[in-house]
Structure formats: C-alpha cells, structure tokens
Amino acid sequence: MVKKKMITFGLLGLGRVIEKRVANVFLKELNNSKVIGVFDTNRKKNDFFSKLFKCKQNNSLNSFLNNRFDFIYIATESGNHYNHIKKCFEKNHNVIVEKPPVLKITQLEELNKIANKKKLKFYSIYQNRLNKSVEFCKNYLDENNQKVIFSTLNLNWSRDQKYYNDWHGNWKMDGGVAAQQGIHYIDILCYFFGNPIKTISHISNKTNILQAEDTHSSLIVFKNNITCTCNFTTALRPDDHEASIKIVLRDEIFSLEGLCCNKIKHYNLTKKTNKKMNNLCKINSEIVNNGYGNSHYRSLQKIIDYSLKNKKEKPLRAIETLPSLKLLNMMYMSFERNKWIYFKNKKISSKLGL
C-alpha cells in the first residue's frame, strides 16, 4: 500500500476567519495539505476563493459535498454548524469545525454519536490552546502541585455596529461576546482547571445594539474552590486591546497577556529574581497580528500529521470541548434565571441556538 502524502480539504463557509487568517494558513504555512474545493452562499466569495485556491467552483452545497475530501473545514455561522456537520456526516466526510462546534449541548452529544457510529473524525478548532504561552502555563500548573488562589479573565475587544448588523449578535446564530469571542478563553479556563462547579452572570449592551450582549461578567467556581472572575466586552473603541488571564498562586503570579493570551509573564512574590523562569516566559511569548493569533497553523498541522501518522499526538476532538460549551450555556442560563447554575445539572439550556 502506498503511504498517503497529502491531506485534502474542502472549506465550507468563507467568512472572517477564512479571510483574515485561515486562507493564508492553507496557502503559505501548512505542509502536506491541499484545498481542493470551497463553498459559500456568497457568490463573490465563492468565486474569489475558488480562484485563489485554483479549484473547481461549486455552485451549491450539494455539489460541494459530492466531492471527495479527507476533511471538510467548517467556518459557517455558529448557528448553522449543527446542520452543516450533520450533512457532512451523511456524505461520510470527516469534519473540522471552528469554535464553538455547535451552540447546544444536546447537538454536540448527538453529532459525536453519529461520528462514532460511522467511524468519522470530528475535530474542533480552539487554536489558543496551542499558543506557546498557554501550553507552557498548562504544563507548569500540571507539573507543580501549587495551590491556585484565584484567576481573572479579561477580554477587552472592539466590534462596531456593522459587525452586528448581519448574523452576529443574535441568539439563533451565535449569541454575544461570551459565545463568539469569549468562548476561546472560557475554553482555556476549562483546559487549565477542569470542569466548573457553578457560575453566575450578568450581561448588558454598552455600545452596540444587538439581540444578545456586547458586555458579559461572570463568576465561575472550579474544583478545589478555584474562583475566576470573567469580564468580556466588544464595546471598546476603536480597536481590540487585550485578552488576558491571570493565575494567582501562593507566592507567584502567571499573567497571560496580549491580544489573545499570546504572551506570558511571571511574577515572583518572594522578590527573588528567577532568571530561568523569565527567560522561559520570553521564549514562550510571541507576536500576533490580530486576535486570531498564530495557532490555527498548529491546530491544523497537528491534524494533518496525525492523519498521515507522522506524529502520535492526538488532535482536539469536538466532544472534548463539551465542558466549555456547557459552561457557556450555564453562563447565559444564569442571567436568564438570575441565579447560580450548577455543572451537575442534567438539563443545561439557554437561549443559544433558540
């Protein structure tokens, strides 16, 4: 048997993430990959990206799905992910989907069962997990059994009213700042601290007019009584400022900083200079051009290498992001019901996805 040397992709949905980051990743950064088909209901985008990737143009979703791909990469509206993933599975396509994989917990559980039954691969992109800074911090927390006192998460970004005049910001398609921007960092909290125990939230609109929220504040309690205060907003003007997470330990603080937690700093509260740690933080910090960061490349290359059996490290399965999705729904549900919502509750459902 000839060993496969190339992974082929179809791109379904050609919006912001494709335009601003992922197209360039496929064209210039990835090894052993080729985009052989694209589709978007926007004809201009469909035509532009078909020419960009030098592939045959598909004029309908059905014609696109009738192609043979190793993976279909889904970057459509969040509220359409469920139906698009299901259609891909019906045609026996493996799927990679942008965050969040779906909006409802039951949808993710159902799709995972279908993928398992049909022996299809079902991965999700939470690229910031693979930021060098985040991986370094995760490894340190795992290897050093130090008590976390508390954590803070702040996302201060900007989205103008034009952004919310299309599908963004409504409950059916994507919710608000927590579901669309904050979910990346909610996921990092679950990655660091495990499943949450409970949460309570307040949401509002400070600058923009939208059905959901442009500002969201939550208190989350994780196991071992680790508390995290979270503040998300897209009400800033004129530009994105930061997405940062601080983790306070007994005698030291780690600070993930930058537009998307792409930098890390260490503060030694004993006032002893730790040159080795400072150097490691410098090595594991990187410059990014925008809030999408650099790690789409790492996420996709990991899937490619694993599929070609070049490396054994497994990519992130969509079902592994269930705690993040559940926590997101808990946060919205908390505001809707004006009370604490517990992770152990069997029926967690919010307005997301309506």
Side-chain angles (χ1 to χ4, degrees), residues 175-187:
V177 60
Q180 189 59 222
Q181 288 81 26
I183 185 63
H184 284 293
Y185 307 97
I186 293 167
D187 179 71

PDB file of all heavy atoms in Angstrom, residues 175-187:
ATOM      1  N   GLY A 175     -25.252  34.172  19.652  1.00  0.00           N
ATOM      2  CA  GLY A 175     -25.183  34.817  20.954  1.00  0.00           C
ATOM      3  C   GLY A 175     -24.339  36.067  20.889  1.00  0.00           C
ATOM      4  O   GLY A 175     -24.185  36.680  19.825  1.00  0.00           O
ATOM      5  N   GLY A 176     -23.746  36.445  22.024  1.00  0.00           N
ATOM      6  CA  GLY A 176     -22.992  37.686  22.087  1.00  0.00           C
ATOM      7  C   GLY A 176     -21.510  37.489  22.323  1.00  0.00           C
ATOM      8  O   GLY A 176     -20.919  36.500  21.888  1.00  0.00           O
ATOM      9  N   VAL A 177     -20.914  38.407  23.052  1.00  0.00           N
ATOM     10  CA  VAL A 177     -19.468  38.432  23.219  1.00  0.00           C
ATOM     11  C   VAL A 177     -18.931  37.163  23.889  1.00  0.00           C
ATOM     12  O   VAL A 177     -17.853  36.681  23.532  1.00  0.00           O
ATOM     13  CB  VAL A 177     -19.024  39.693  23.996  1.00  0.00           C
ATOM     14  CG1 VAL A 177     -19.642  39.754  25.385  1.00  0.00           C
ATOM     15  CG2 VAL A 177     -17.504  39.771  24.098  1.00  0.00           C
ATOM     16  N   ALA A 178     -19.653  36.611  24.844  1.00  0.00           N
ATOM     17  CA  ALA A 178     -19.170  35.390  25.511  1.00  0.00           C
ATOM     18  C   ALA A 178     -19.111  34.221  24.545  1.00  0.00           C
ATOM     19  O   ALA A 178     -18.151  33.447  24.538  1.00  0.00           O
ATOM     20  CB  ALA A 178     -20.056  35.046  26.708  1.00  0.00           C
ATOM     21  N   ALA A 179     -20.143  34.083  23.701  1.00  0.00           N
ATOM     22  CA  ALA A 179     -20.226  32.934  22.794  1.00  0.00           C
ATOM     23  C   ALA A 179     -19.326  33.077  21.582  1.00  0.00           C
ATOM     24  O   ALA A 179     -18.814  32.076  21.068  1.00  0.00           O
ATOM     25  CB  ALA A 179     -21.674  32.732  22.342  1.00  0.00           C
ATOM     26  N   GLN A 180     -19.119  34.305  21.114  1.00  0.00           N
ATOM     27  CA  GLN A 180     -18.368  34.487  19.877  1.00  0.00           C
ATOM     28  C   GLN A 180     -16.887  34.791  20.109  1.00  0.00           C
ATOM     29  O   GLN A 180     -16.023  34.211  19.468  1.00  0.00           O
ATOM     30  CB  GLN A 180     -18.980  35.619  19.056  1.00  0.00           C
ATOM     31  CG  GLN A 180     -18.435  35.757  17.659  1.00  0.00           C
ATOM     32  CD  GLN A 180     -18.600  34.516  16.801  1.00  0.00           C
ATOM     33  OE1 GLN A 180     -17.694  34.144  16.068  1.00  0.00           O
ATOM     34  NE2 GLN A 180     -19.739  33.873  16.889  1.00  0.00           N
ATOM     35  N   GLN A 181     -16.570  35.660  21.056  1.00  0.00           N
ATOM     36  CA  GLN A 181     -15.170  35.990  21.345  1.00  0.00           C
ATOM     37  C   GLN A 181     -14.675  35.323  22.639  1.00  0.00           C
ATOM     38  O   GLN A 181     -13.589  34.752  22.682  1.00  0.00           O
ATOM     39  CB  GLN A 181     -14.996  37.513  21.450  1.00  0.00           C
ATOM     40  CG  GLN A 181     -15.091  38.258  20.133  1.00  0.00           C
ATOM     41  CD  GLN A 181     -16.522  38.518  19.684  1.00  0.00           C
ATOM     42  OE1 GLN A 181     -17.443  38.595  20.496  1.00  0.00           O
ATOM     43  NE2 GLN A 181     -16.715  38.667  18.387  1.00  0.00           N
ATOM     44  N   GLY A 182     -15.484  35.384  23.668  1.00  0.00           N
ATOM     45  CA  GLY A 182     -15.043  34.880  24.973  1.00  0.00           C
ATOM     46  C   GLY A 182     -14.871  33.381  25.043  1.00  0.00           C
ATOM     47  O   GLY A 182     -14.115  32.882  25.878  1.00  0.00           O
ATOM     48  N   ILE A 183     -15.542  32.635  24.163  1.00  0.00           N
ATOM     49  CA  ILE A 183     -15.508  31.165  24.231  1.00  0.00           C
ATOM     50  C   ILE A 183     -14.087  30.618  24.157  1.00  0.00           C
ATOM     51  O   ILE A 183     -13.763  29.603  24.773  1.00  0.00           O
ATOM     52  CB  ILE A 183     -16.404  30.542  23.133  1.00  0.00           C
ATOM     53  CG1 ILE A 183     -16.491  29.028  23.267  1.00  0.00           C
ATOM     54  CG2 ILE A 183     -15.932  30.948  21.748  1.00  0.00           C
ATOM     55  CD1 ILE A 183     -17.126  28.545  24.545  1.00  0.00           C
ATOM     56  N   HIS A 184     -13.208  31.300  23.405  1.00  0.00           N
ATOM     57  CA  HIS A 184     -11.806  30.861  23.334  1.00  0.00           C
ATOM     58  C   HIS A 184     -11.182  30.786  24.726  1.00  0.00           C
ATOM     59  O   HIS A 184     -10.426  29.851  25.038  1.00  0.00           O
ATOM     60  CB  HIS A 184     -10.987  31.853  22.505  1.00  0.00           C
ATOM     61  CG  HIS A 184     -11.188  31.751  21.037  1.00  0.00           C
ATOM     62  ND1 HIS A 184     -10.786  30.666  20.296  1.00  0.00           N
ATOM     63  CD2 HIS A 184     -11.754  32.618  20.160  1.00  0.00           C
ATOM     64  CE1 HIS A 184     -11.080  30.866  19.027  1.00  0.00           C
ATOM     65  NE2 HIS A 184     -11.665  32.044  18.913  1.00  0.00           N
ATOM     66  N   TYR A 185     -11.486  31.770  25.554  1.00  0.00           N
ATOM     67  CA  TYR A 185     -10.817  31.913  26.844  1.00  0.00           C
ATOM     68  C   TYR A 185     -11.569  31.159  27.943  1.00  0.00           C
ATOM     69  O   TYR A 185     -10.963  30.704  28.912  1.00  0.00           O
ATOM     70  CB  TYR A 185     -10.627  33.411  27.131  1.00  0.00           C
ATOM     71  CG  TYR A 185      -9.942  34.023  25.933  1.00  0.00           C
ATOM     72  CD1 TYR A 185     -10.677  34.677  24.942  1.00  0.00           C
ATOM     73  CD2 TYR A 185      -8.576  33.827  25.726  1.00  0.00           C
ATOM     74  CE1 TYR A 185     -10.053  35.158  23.803  1.00  0.00           C
ATOM     75  CE2 TYR A 185      -7.954  34.290  24.588  1.00  0.00           C
ATOM     76  CZ  TYR A 185      -8.688  34.952  23.623  1.00  0.00           C
ATOM     77  OH  TYR A 185      -8.071  35.389  22.486  1.00  0.00           O
ATOM     78  N   ILE A 186     -12.880  31.004  27.767  1.00  0.00           N
ATOM     79  CA  ILE A 186     -13.638  30.082  28.613  1.00  0.00           C
ATOM     80  C   ILE A 186     -13.061  28.679  28.445  1.00  0.00           C
ATOM     81  O   ILE A 186     -12.891  27.930  29.412  1.00  0.00           O
ATOM     82  CB  ILE A 186     -15.132  30.120  28.222  1.00  0.00           C
ATOM     83  CG1 ILE A 186     -15.734  31.481  28.564  1.00  0.00           C
ATOM     84  CG2 ILE A 186     -15.907  28.992  28.905  1.00  0.00           C
ATOM     85  CD1 ILE A 186     -17.102  31.713  27.943  1.00  0.00           C
ATOM     86  N   ASP A 187     -12.734  28.339  27.200  1.00  0.00           N
ATOM     87  CA  ASP A 187     -12.136  27.036  26.918  1.00  0.00           C
ATOM     88  C   ASP A 187     -10.778  26.876  27.588  1.00  0.00           C
ATOM     89  O   ASP A 187     -10.453  25.804  28.114  1.00  0.00           O
ATOM     90  CB  ASP A 187     -11.993  26.845  25.407  1.00  0.00           C
ATOM     91  CG  ASP A 187     -11.358  25.518  25.051  1.00  0.00           C
ATOM     92  OD1 ASP A 187     -12.021  24.475  25.234  1.00  0.00           O
ATOM     93  OD2 ASP A 187     -10.197  25.519  24.604  1.00  0.00           O
TER      94      ASP A 187
END
